[in-house]
Structures are given as C-alpha cells and as structure tokens.
Amino acid sequence: MAEWLRPRHMNEALQLLAELPAEQYQIISGGTDVMVAQQLSAPRDIAVWLDLSAIPELKTVEVTTEGIRIGAGVTLSVLRRHPEVQKHWPMLAASAAVTGAAPIQNRATLGGNLCNASPAADNAPVLLAYAARIEIAGPNGTRLLPYEQFHLGYRQTDLATHELLQAIHIPYLPAGSRVYYRKVGTRAAQAIAKVGIAAWIHFAENQGIIAARFGLSSVAATPCVLPNVSEYLSGKRISNIHESMIREKVSSDIKPVDDIRSTAGYRLEVASRLVWEAIHCAQ
Amino acid sequence: MIYPQRVDGLPKITGKALYVDDIPLNGVIHASTIRSSCAGGVVEELTFDPTFDWTPFVVVTAQDIPGLNAIKMLENDQPVLVDRVFRHAGEPLALLAHSDPCMLETALRHVHVRETPLAHPIFDIDEALGAESTIIPGNVYTDYLLNKGDVEQAQKNAECLIVERLLTPSQEQLYIEPQGMIAVLQEDGVLRIEGSMQCPYYVLDALEQCTGLDKNRLQVVQSTTGGAFGGKEDYPSMIACHAALLALKAGGLPVKLIYERGEDLRVTPKRHPSRSLVRLGANSEGELQFIDMDFAIDGGAYRTLSPVVLSRGVIHAPGPYRCANIRVRGRAVATNHPPFGAFRGFGAPQSIFALEVAMDRLAAKLNMDPAELRQKNLLHRGDVSPTGDLVGEDCFAQEILDEALRVSHYYERQDAFRVWNAAPHDTLRGIGLATFAHGAGFTGNGELYLASQVFLQAHADGQVEILCSNTEMGQGAATTLVQIAADALKLPLEQVHLAQTDTARVPNSGPTVASRTCMVVGDLIEKAAQRLLQKLRDEGGLAQTFTPAEFNAVCLRMQESGKDLLVSASYQPPVDMLWDEKSFTGRAYASYAWAAYIAEVEVDKLTLETRVLNFTAAQEIGHAVHPQIVQGQIEGGVVQGIGYALYENVLWNPFGVMANDRLTNYIIPTTADIGPLQIVLMEKGLGAGPKGAKGVGELPMDGPAPAIVNAIQQALKIDVAQIPAMPELLLDLSRAQRGSQCQ
C-alpha cells in the first residue's frame, strides 16, 4: 500500500521530503501529467506520494516593484485570468490558456508544467523569453536560478533530490519591448505542441533591436532558447535582417526530431518562419 | 418544431445507463489476452512458468476450444486463438482470468512466448500485389470487375485525359466506449454473453461455431453501447468467443473481458487504407467519356469483411455520373496488418475520395469550374447507372448540387476568395466540392440473404414492444424505430418500446450496419404495425379510427380471450431489385441518397495548418423520420470526415500495429477545429423506407475528405493526392511546387 502525504506548509513538505527514500516517492500537485503517466508507463512501485496541493505558500501571486512572483502551485486557470499577468505578461496568460483544456487548467500548476520537464511544455517558451528565474527550496534554504539553466537534458532538471520548485519570478519588461507567442499544435485546442514559440524583442527608439530572446518548445530535447539568433539580431535594424541568416541561425540553435506528432523538417521550417514572423509582427 | 425526446437520452445524460464495464457482477473474474508480438510467423512455444502458481487462474489456449477454432465470418480463416501459425502482431494466443486484476498483471509476466517471425512481412498494398512471399495465394482476397461499355475504345476518342494516383489512410472509429464482453455459464446451462456490439446475431453465430453449443444454450445480450461506427460489427464476435471460452472453464463465475483504450486501438479493425489509380477522359465539352479505376484496399491479415467493403467501394467508385464507359477493378489485398474492417461508409469514402479529387483535376485540365464539370455529368432520370440499371424517378443529383451551390453562395465565395488571396493576408482560402450518392442497405442481394424479421408484441395494457435485433449505439435508432412504430400504430410514443436486444427474445432482423436500420428494418416495423392494427380490427373489433384508450381496451379484451397479440414482418425485396454479383450489373441498392458537399477552407501561409471555415452538407434523403437525429447523424459524420481529411493519421510501428495508440497522439478534431456546419435536408419521399426514407448513417462520411482536399488545392494551387492533408504534407508540396516554379 502506498502512503499519501499532504503537508500544510512548505517547511513540513521539505522536512518530509528530506526523509523520503529517493526513487520511491512521487511528488504530485495537480496530477494532470503524473496521473496520466501512471496509467501509461510501466508500473513503478511508488511507496509515497507527496501531495503539494495543500500548501498555501505555493498558491500565491505577488506583484512587486520588480515584477511578479508566482507560486509554483498556482493553477493555469488563475494565470490566464490574472489581470496583472494579462497586462504585463500577456504571453503567459496566452500560454496558460492553450495548455490542455479548461478542466486541465483548473488543476494543472505552472510549477508542475516546468517540473514535468516535457520538451513540449506550453508555458516553458514564455518563461524563457521573459527571462524568468525560478526559486528552489531545499534543506539548506532557497536559491534563485535563471529558468534557462533549469532543463539539463531530456526530462532532466537541475532540481536536486530533496528540493522543491517554490516560485517563478518574471521581471517587468523595459520600455520598447514587444512580444510574440504562438503555439502550433496538432489541432486548434487540447493539443500537444509541434512547435511553440515565445519571443521578446527590445526595440530602441530608432527601431533598431537592442536585444531579443526566444523560447521554443518541441524542437529539442528540452524547451530551449535561440542564442545564435539572439546574437545575430542584437544591434540590428529590421532592414538589415536577412531571412536566410535567420534560417541558418535557427538551424544551429535547435535540434528537432521526427516523432509521432510531426517531422524534423516541418519543425525546423516552421520555427524559422515563426522567428521571422516574430521579428516583424511582435507587439 | 419540437421533436420527440430520445428514448435513450435521459439515462445516458444522468449516468444511469450501464455500459458493459459498469454492469455490477458478483464474483467476477477479469480476463486478459496474450498476443503475438511479430508481424506473422510461428509460435514455437507458449510456456506458463512452472514455478508460478496457476491454480487460481483460468487459462485458455487453442486446445480448449470445443468447436471450430475460427471466427465465423465470410470465411473461416481467422483463428479464435492461434494454435501455431499466425499472420499479424497482436493476434490472440491465450487467455487468462483471475478475480484480482493486479494478480492478472503479475501472471502475464510469467507467460513466455517464443515466436519465429515471418521473414518478410508485408504492409503495403502494391508491395503485397507484387510480392513473392504470400500470405494467401496472390495476396488477393477478392478481385472484382465492374465493366460497362468499352474503356479502351473511349480512351482513343477522349480529348482530355488525366491520370492520378490517390491514397487514403486507415482511420480509427474511436467510439467513446472501448470494446468489452461479459460471459457467464448459467446454472440452467445457458452461456450468456452481454456486451457492447452492433450485431448480436453475428456474435451468436460465432459463439455457436466456436463453442459447439446449440443455439438454445447460447444467449447474446447487447448492453448500452457507447458508439460503434462499424468498429463493433465483426470484432465483438472475437471478444465474445474469448470471454465464452473462459466462462466455460470458470465454474459459473462471470468473466469480464474489457479492452483498455490502447489495446482497443492496436488490435481492433479500422478503416481499410486504399490506393486508387484513376484515369478519366472527357471530350472538350467536359462530358465524361470514360472512367477507369484500379481500386485496391488493404484487407490486412484475414479476409473478415473485406470482400463486402470492396464491393461497396467498387460500386460507389464511378460516382453519381453518366458515363458510357466505366471500368473499375477492385482488389482486397492481404498484408500483415491486423485485419481492417467496417467503418461508416464501408469502402465508399475511399473510392469516392479518389474519383472526386480526380474530377477536380479533370476540371482544371479542361479549364472548367469544378461545379460546371459536375453539372454536365450528373445522372438524371432515364440515364443508365454505372451498374447498368435504369435510373428511375428517385434521382436528385442535379437538384441537390443546385441547392448546395445556392445555400453555400458558391460562386460569390469563389470571387471573394480570389480577392482575399490577392491581398496580403496570413491565409489563403479555397472552396471545394464533392458530389456523390450513397446506397442504403446491404449491397445487391445482401438483404435477400439476410431475410430479416421483426416482431411487434402488444400487451394487455396496450403497451407495444418492438422486437428486433437492431441496436441503439448512440445513433438514435431506438427513438427512430419507436417513432416509426408509434406513427404507424397511431399511438403516443410513450406507448411503444424497443425491447432489449437479446437473442433469447428478439428475431434476427439483421445487423445494425450499412445505413439499413431506419430504411429496411423501419419499413418492416411499419409493415408489422399495419398487421397488428389489422389483427386488432379483425379479431378484436378495433375501429378504423381509435383513441389510445380504445386500443388498450381491445388489447385487454383479446388477451383475456386468449388471443395472441404478436405479429411479424419479413423482408421482401422490391420487385425491380435484380443484381448479378458476378458481372456487377443490375440494381445495387434499394435506394441511393444524393448529396453535394461544399467545403470552405483557409490555410495558414506560415504553418500550412488548414481550418474549415464553413461546411455545407446538402443531401436528398427521402424522408427524415426524426430531423434532429438525422441532423445529428450528418453533423457527426461530417466531423468524422473532417478528421479523415485533415487530422487522423494512423501511424504503424515496425510490426504493422497502430503506433499512435493514445488520444494524445491519434488526433481527432474538437469543436474548436470545426467551423459552422450547414446541413440541408431535401426530402422527396421516394426511398425504400417508411414514408420514403433512405439510410443516412454512412452518407456524411463520403463527402468531406474530397471536398476539403479540393478546397485546399484551390487555395494553394497545388495537387494533393492523399489524406490526411496534414501541414507537414502541405509544406512539402508547396515547397516542391515553389522549387519547380523557380526552375
């Protein structure tokens, strides 16, 4: 018989976690990924379930002078409807709104979407483009990590055995920022992304690009950024940006594969087209 | 207009209806199937780990089959359980049952199968036709030829000629309720089977053959069935035989064999993939001179229903067109895929897709509007049909196309889309159409051989029961049949009931397939109702016009005086229903429904995703017994057709089994993918069913794929030769076209 632990506070959760034998526990919050994996994967003996859904600290959204701090247990339904999120970080409201369907969004949490570490995670590209940082709690206190450094490999994260993702921090964008988000799924709703893209482009008053950052899903083993594209765009005026160069830089930044949902060729081509589109149509 | 409520509606929406997995059972044991892994080969050894305690398990292998080890279908080629040689991955080898599903799981790990795989499994139609290694001689189950006039001669005179090769994929029915059966050997010695199915008498026949039991010791009951679409036509016989074999060894305990979704997707039959080589010839006026089609469907590893699927595909291949010279060669080919089977449309969507896309290519080559090309060639009263019979009064191909063009504003939309496409929008738009007819009921002499029978049983309280073997599976048949009977009996709906489909009680009125229930069985019910009234008049003195109370009083009086209140009606073919199966000539169906479907699409220039903007489905269906149910049937079929056209892509693993066996990766459209559907019903009242009704169940599956592909071709100015028209395919095609334009 498995044990189900439902701590009421973050400290309690960390304490429990510190005592759990590795490999035999499963952390669960909304359960929208974990429960599906339970049904589909080879049976794994889970001795203990650590349920984070009753921890109030994980449910808070705080707007500060620097930006927003979103508890890891905040649901996607809350995010898609949050007025501050809609106003200052519209890409996050948009990505939350296209993650699964409404019943999924009611249960699924932002932290869960990141910790599940799917390369197709719908909210990951947005957090990469917004240069989010994540707050990780462990036995020795908390640490802040640029989200970009969180995903280490396919379904591998920087989270250590006895650590929990506590919150996500997103800064305000500087004046002159424009953003672009698009999910290309297998259908219009309730789809897993073939390509997901979020872009932040910082324009100078003279319309030159000061900096640009992209987040993509489903085009590599992890959600990823496009360092070569960003470097190429930095300091360029739109008129000096060439489609062929974008294509070349995108190709060097991503590693798409053929899988059950799409082809490597389609993903590469569409990623290139959407980067080009983002540069020209970001709002 | 308020239509009668569905008789099955309330229990379904309140959750009271019991689907097979919901039926409460005492002492139930759960069953599981051990299957082959390779795509054909030989089972060298099937070992039950001797160190494992098998005593609490019920185990069944081929050696335990008391009767014939073959599923009763057209031919006895498919084993109930593999003895040694097998033809595809996922074939059942043995069965296990235990009261604890977890123990069952554990036990499965203690069964070891050693297989010698087939050296060269075949998964492709043309490869099968040319292969040296064969599954059956020549790898062809059935070879049909529809031949009218002289195609060779006509070809010499044709001024415009096109040749196309078109492909359609498999498609999963995706009924909401996965398949399952419960079997129990009762104390009275009757083996009772209950489960999700379309055709209880198919199951009964299969059980009789496999168990060797007499039919009076077998009882098949249909439980509430959560969708079927053809997928529960033949395969329930397999599951029922398996459950029955376990039940025979289970000492009276009920055996429950329910497929999990993934297993259901991997092993149960789906739509036949097809490959069509089409040649069309026309004169410069656009009049068809010949239609020549080589139509091949992948039957999979056993014959199952493929010959009849093929025959419907061949007959529908020439479309609703007047053409003096037609040659359709149809072949059902053997491969090492699990057998393909019945799915709404039954071969017709495949050949209609090929013809209708080819018609648009011909129109393009003639520089003629696709609608105009069809206007010139549609069948009219007095024409000779592709199978050589005279087209009578019941022909509305022209009328329905005119109606579809009118309500869809076809020509205005064409102009608007031209303007749209010239402007710098993010999308390209196109409008496409398909004209077709769908024959209702069994093909040719099928209904004659079925010899369907229905009973009506009136009771002393005036309640009337319909006894037939046709099944409600979500499509609305229960309500429709009750309505037909109530209407004919001039009684309120509440007074008529459809008896549970139980072979111990109901006669064999044939399977619930082929768009036949309302038209063929409905007609029998109407006839039986008239007989019942006649009987009550003759023997009970019922007046010519009567109130329900008077009807009830007569029933009571007759009952009290010991008179029976049971009537029956049996199928009699229409006098002009002559069909020659060998030459494919004569009248293939009692009635055709006529249709013209028009799709408006837009394709995203960046991602090549296609969205259906509007869809018009116009059809002449004789008479709509319950217009709301008809509308629902057509909307559902159109959506399934949109899935077939754009999303549903069965992928195969290296063993020829469906690889995308989850709903996360087998993609069907959601409401977000479906634009407005405009359903137009034309009712001319000349069909073979009640008040001239015709079958509509399958019809809406035929038109969407060609209409949508034709619309995409208009939008992108490319040729699309296969479905689903996924963005990946369209991207490759549009890049190739751009490449060729640069040269």
Side-chain angles (χ1 to χ4, degrees), chain B residues 115-129:
Chain B
E115 299 173 9
T116 300
L118 205 64
H120 302 290
I122 303 164
F123 303 120
D124 176 78
I125 289 171
D126 285 312
E127 199 191 316
L129 288 172

Side-chain angles (χ1 to χ4, degrees), chain A residues 182 187-188 262 266 269 273, chain B residues 604 606-607 609 668 673 728:
Chain A
R182 182 153 178 195
R187 62 185 161 207
S262 190
Y266 179 81
E269 178 64 23
R273 289 179 177 197
Chain B
D604 189 295
L606 287 178
T607 63
E609 292 166 285
I668 61 166
D673 300 289
E728 288 79 0

